[in-house]
Structure formats: C-alpha cells, structure tokens
Amino acid sequence: MADLNKIISGFDVKGSIAGVAPFGSGLINDTYKVTTAGRECPDYILQRINHNIFQDVDMLQSNIEAVTRHIRHKLEAAGETDIERKVLHFVKAGNGKTYSRDSEGNWWRMMVFIPGAHTYETVNPEYSYCAGKAFGNFQSMLSDLEEPLGETIPNFHNMEFRLSQFHDALKADAAGRAAEVRHYITEIEKRSDEMCKAERLHREGRLPKRICHCDTKVNNMMFDDKGEVLCVIDLDTVMPSYIFSDYGDFLRTGANTAAEDEKDLGKINFNMEIFEAFTKGYLESAKAFLLPIEIENLPYAAALFPYMQCVRFLTDYLNGDTYYKIQYPEHNLVRTKAQFKLLQSVEEHNDRMRSFIDRTLSKMAK
Ligand code: GN1
Ligand code: MG
C-alpha cells in the first residue's frame, strides 16, 4: 500500500490533511477524497491512474489539460462566475506537471474537490434533461479545440476492435469459461454486423469523429443542489469518437431501471421517460452541429452501448477478469447478462425511440 500522505505532500495542496478515504465507484482508477482541516482550504480528490490501462500517462494528462484549459477559457469568455465548480482544476506536483510518479512506479494526480456537488447512480427525467444538455454543450464547447487529442486507449469505442478482442478471448479460453456462455456468444454474433455500422459509415466518409467524453456514465456528472449540472468529470477517455459514444453510454446507465450489475434480470428495463428527457436535452444543445446521419442513428447508439459493454464484460470474464475490478468471481458474467437484458429492452423500444426523435425535431423546427 502506497504512503498516501507522502504522495499528497508532493502536490501543491493548501492546508493540513485531516483525512484520506476511498471515494466513488469507478472500475478502473483508485480514487480517494482528501479532507483538509479548517474551512478556508479546499478538499481534494487524489487518484492513482491505472497505467496498465492508460499506458501513455503523458498523453492522458496532456489531453485533460488541453480540455480543461479550453473549457475554462470558454467559461471566462462567457462571463461565468462559478468557474471553479464548472471545470476541473488539477493541482500541480513538485515537478510542475499535473501528475507524479511514486517510488513504486505508480502515477498519481490531484484535483480540487468541487464543494456542494453531488453525483448520482440513478437520475429522474428532470436531471436527465439537464444531463442531455450538458453533454451536448460539452461536445459543442470542444468542437473548436485546436490541439489534436490523442486516443488514450486506442480503438476505445471501436466495435470491430472490441469484437476482435472478444474472438481472441474466445479462442484462448484462458479461464475455461467459454462453454458456459454459449448462449451469449450466439446472441453477440447474431448482431455483430449491424453493431459495426459506425465503423463502416466512418470508412465511407459519412460519419465524422468529434471530441467526445467517452465515459458518460450517469455518475460522471456533478449536479448542484438544484439539480443543475455543474460539470462533467472523469476525463481520462476524452478523445475523438462518434457522438454515439456520449449519447449511448449515458442512456446505458441513466435509462437502465436497475444497476449495471443487477442479478435479477426482471428488474432491468429501458426507461423511455429517461430516454425522452435526455434526448430532448441533447438535441437542444447539439442539434446545431449534428449531421442528419448522426441524428438518424441515435436509436442505434442506444443499442450499441449495452451491446459493446456486454461484449467487453464477457471478454473480461473469458480472460479471467484482468480488466475490470470485480467484487466476486462471477461479477463479469452477471454484468454481461445484465447488459444483454438491457440491450433486448432497448431493441423492443426501437420504433418508439425513432418516433420520439422525429416528433422532437419537428417541434424544434417550428
Ligand atoms: C469503466 O472508469 P469507470 O468505472 O467510470 C470503463 C468504461 C465502462 C465502464 C463500465 C477506461 O468506467 O468504458 O463503460 O467502466 N472505462 C474504461 O461501468 O475502460
Ligand atoms: Mg467514473
């Protein structure tokens, strides 16, 4: 176990440390809340970057710095007064960078904890509408970022790549688990062509990549006490992708009537009220820059992300749980089943999603 106090002392932190405790429910990095003594100094978030997954830490932090700097300038130009709560503020380490390496080779970073902000694992329609607007705004604010961003995880949301990893895992069958998941393998294969549509459209030059967040889980948004979105957090995966990434991954988590790893499949459904509220918010802030092909494929995006996550969880299960943090041996299988159930529910709502989008667009055109 790393000496957290020693690591913290390497950053330009104000005040004396009163406590350090694990924080949040992320599946990749280790996150801690650092509380300082007294009211005048801010609290902080400390994170150990998972450098097995984010192998190019320089690129990772340089992306994040470019993005937060750009958003900060936009907010300043717009005369925003609550800037410290609307964009993440990374603390400098002794080396002048926003990250540092400990003697064991781990990478760490710190940011100012945003006071009076909350994250949620589930949201109501009103909050979903705000989330839709916020993610549309986020994409729109970054549309004129001049520095090119690197892919912090190459091919992160590339469905063809995720399927090839799945096929490799299946062939190797490292944990001897392939036989018990035959049903899910068949269901995944049945849909594979349709689900790789985005990559085909991109190759044909019809679908652009834009800067996206790429991890728009509902718990990656900070809300204030009134339910307004303050900012979007967890910026590790901000990179060029299809807008489907942000739209689809929010719905995967926000419109699921149960948790991502719910064992009782009967509880898992796609909540159309959340879908409608989120879609309305997203279209209001993003319609101005979206192409018809992007809008037309929003229902596809709603299905793509439960599908992709199902493939990713099953791949990890087949590999013997080497990627996602698990709490019990079958966890990745439970997650796979839950994502597949959600996918089926999304598929049942395809026509209703399409007609809601059409109605919303025609109302907006008036
Ligand atoms: C991971 O870091 P966290 O827990 O917010 C994953 C996402 C998955 C998600 C599934 C870098 O997100 O892509 O959708 O788990 N992030 C990475 O819950 O793989
Ligand atoms: Mg997260």
Side-chain angles (χ1 to χ4, degrees):
M1 180 67 191
D3 179 349
L4 297 180
N5 283 311
K6 188 163 163 227
I7 288 158
I8 296 165
S9 68
F11 284 86
D12 184 16
V13 164
K14 297 193 171 53
S16 58
I17 308 307
V20 185
F23 189 77
S25 56
L27 300 186
I28 306 292
N29 299 317
D30 295 334
T31 307
Y32 302 87
K33 179 166 179 195
V34 179
T35 316
T36 57
R39 287 178 153 265
E40 59 291 343
C41 297
D43 292 335
Y44 296 89
I45 289 291
L46 169 71
Q47 265 185 332
R48 185 174 72 92
I49 299 168
N50 184 330
H51 69 265
N52 287 324
I53 291 180
F54 296 105
Q55 295 186 352
D56 188 341
V57 177
D58 291 323
M59 180 208 276
L60 176 76
Q61 286 301 112
S62 125
N63 272 6
I64 293 180
E65 286 172 29
V67 165
T68 50
R69 194 167 44 231
H70 189 77
I71 293 180
R72 186 173 287 272
H73 288 158
K74 288 252 153 134
L75 295 170
E76 281 166 2
E80 176 59 55
T81 50
D82 200 8
I83 291 182
E84 283 304 312
R85 294 208 304 162
K86 297 215 162 171
V87 61
L88 294 178
H89 176 164
F90 285 82
V91 181
K92 287 269 160 69
N95 58 10
K97 297 187 173 173
T98 55
Y99 53 107
S100 79
R101 197 168 202 190
D102 69 14
S103 52
E104 291 165 31
N106 289 307
W107 293 96
W108 297 85
R109 65 185 170 205
M110 287 191 81
M111 58 208 111
V112 176
F113 182 81
I114 300 179
H118 317 278
T119 57
Y120 298 97
E121 298 297 326
T122 55
V123 277
N124 60 20
E126 194 190 324
Y127 281 38
S128 302
Y129 170 76
C130 296
K133 283 197 98 138
F135 282 126
N137 273 333
F138 183 81
Q139 290 176 341
S140 149
M141 277 197 283
L142 293 176
S143 60
D144 58 349
L145 179 69
E146 275 166 14
E147 292 123 291
L149 298 187
E151 285 198 30
T152 52
I153 301 180
N155 292 312
F156 188 50
H157 280 170
N158 177 335
M159 196 59 242
E160 289 173 352
F161 174 72
R162 293 299 180 186
L163 281 165
S164 78
Q165 287 184 314
F166 170 64
H167 291 135
D168 289 347
L170 209 50
K171 214 187 281 160
D173 196 14
R177 289 167 162 175
E180 62 170 301
V181 297
R182 283 281 156 229
H183 169 68
Y184 291 96
I185 298 172
T186 312
E187 293 294 338
I188 286 171
E189 298 298 2
K190 259 203 255 173
R191 295 163 173 84
S192 62
D193 263 1
E194 160 67 9
M195 288 299 163
C196 291
K197 176 158 78 172
E199 296 306 324
R200 286 195 298 276
L201 289 173
H202 182 65
R203 272 196 297 274
E204 289 162 13
R206 296 163 66 195
L207 180 68
K209 287 194 179 182
R210 306 179 188 276
I211 295 172
C212 296
H213 181 277
C214 294
D215 189 11
T216 52
K217 280 161 80 159
V218 54
N219 62 15
N220 279 336
M221 308 218 71
M222 301 290 256
F223 293 88
D224 70 9
D225 290 330
K226 291 183 267 151
E228 294 284 333
V229 172
L230 287 166
C231 68
V232 181
I233 57 171
D234 208 348
L235 304 176
D236 296 328
T237 53
V238 174
M239 62 176 118
S241 187
Y242 313 120
I243 57 99
F244 305 153
S245 291
D246 293 358
Y247 179 80
D249 218 26
F250 178 86
L251 290 172
R252 181 182 73 80
T253 50
N256 187 349
T257 52
E260 171 177 271
D261 57 356
E262 174 59 56
K263 289 184 177 148
D264 180 352
L265 299 184
K267 290 189 181 154
I268 302 173
N269 276 302
F270 187 62
N271 181 332
M272 277 304 283
E273 255 194 290
I274 300 287
F275 165 85
E276 290 180 2
F278 179 74
T279 300
K280 183 165 183 289
Y282 182 69
L283 286 175
E284 281 176 16
S285 59
K287 188 181 168 285
F289 67 83
L290 291 178
L291 298 174
I293 191 112
E294 293 175 308
I295 297 181
E296 198 180 295
N297 280 296
L298 292 178
Y300 157 75
L304 176 61
F305 281 83
Y307 177 80
M308 189 184 300
Q309 205 58 60
C310 177
V311 171
R312 291 179 65 194
F313 284 146
L314 188 54
T315 302
D316 200 31
Y317 186 66
L318 291 167
N319 285 336
D321 312 307
T322 59
Y323 188 91
Y324 293 108
K325 291 183 194 172
I326 53 166
Q327 273 137 29
Y328 52 90
E330 257 69 65
H331 207 161
N332 274 317
L333 180 61
V334 167
R335 289 169 173 151
T336 302
K337 293 181 179 176
Q339 293 299 300
F340 183 67
K341 173 66 209 301
L342 178 65
L343 170 65
Q344 288 178 306
S345 180
V346 171
E347 288 171 345
E348 284 160 17
H349 289 91
N350 188 54
D351 293 347
R352 283 180 60 196
M353 287 194 278
R354 204 162 280 293
S355 63
F356 177 80
I357 292 169
D358 290 346
R359 282 202 309 278
T360 307
L361 290 173
S362 49
K363 270 189 216 152
M364 283 170 70
K366 274 179 198 159

